[in-house]
Amino acid sequence: MSQFIDILEEKCPKCGEGQVFATKGNPLLFRMPHMNATCPCCGHKFEKETGYFFGSMYVSYALTVAEMIAVFLVAHFFIKSFAGMMTLIATLAVLLSTFNFRLSRMIWIYLLDGKNRTV
């Protein structure tokens, strides 16, 4: 359970103290999240090699599809037009893009890096 909380709080997978992201980003201001190169607390390097986060694109795709399906299942009771449904889904996909970016990278880091700290 603690790893799940650390993923949501964007904590370092090794020490659990430092923040992985320096800025959160904002899709309305066209700002992407900025990731720290190393943990500010323990110095752990987040990107092991060039292309390390290519796999997180698949995680981000799965998150986006799951969100779109959930929105469709809830909204189809309220919105009957196809254009209205697509507009709602596209708007939410754009608004959640920076959240999905950060969450997919955190899931990817924890899948490959894991926690090796002693408690």
Side-chain angles (χ1 to χ4, degrees):
M1 187 66 164
S2 119
Q3 284 187 345
F4 179 71
I5 293 169
D6 285 351
I7 288 172
L8 293 178
E9 292 179 350
E10 300 170 355
K11 299 286 187 181
C12 172
K14 293 299 177 189
C15 69
E17 300 289 324
Q19 290 291 327
V20 174
F21 287 94
T23 61
K24 301 280 187 194
N26 187 339
L28 299 177
L29 299 176
F30 302 108
R31 292 189 182 141
M32 288 301 292
H34 178 69
M35 192 170 174
N36 293 321
T38 59
C39 176
C41 293
C42 68
H44 176 68
K45 186 176 178 184
F46 296 125
E47 186 172 6
K48 302 298 182 201
E49 59 188 70
T50 304
Y52 180 74
F53 289 110
F54 281 155
S56 71
M57 290 187 300
Y58 296 106
V59 176
S60 179
Y61 176 75
L63 287 171
T64 303
V65 168
E67 290 165 357
M68 288 180 184
I69 290 171
V71 168
F72 174 79
L73 291 175
V74 170
H76 86 280
F77 293 111
F78 306 105
I79 300 173
K80 298 300 178 191
S81 72
F82 180 76
M85 184 69 73
M86 290 301 111
T87 303
L88 175 66
I89 289 174
T91 303
L92 284 176
V94 169
L95 292 177
L96 292 173
S97 63
T98 56
F99 172 76
N100 287 340
F101 178 84
R102 292 189 329 264
L103 184 60
S104 65
R105 284 197 173 203
M106 290 304 300
I107 291 171
W108 192 252
I109 288 173
Y110 273 78
L111 278 175
L112 297 182
D113 237 351
K115 271 193 183 172
N116 295 330
R117 66 177 187 230
T118 56
V119 179

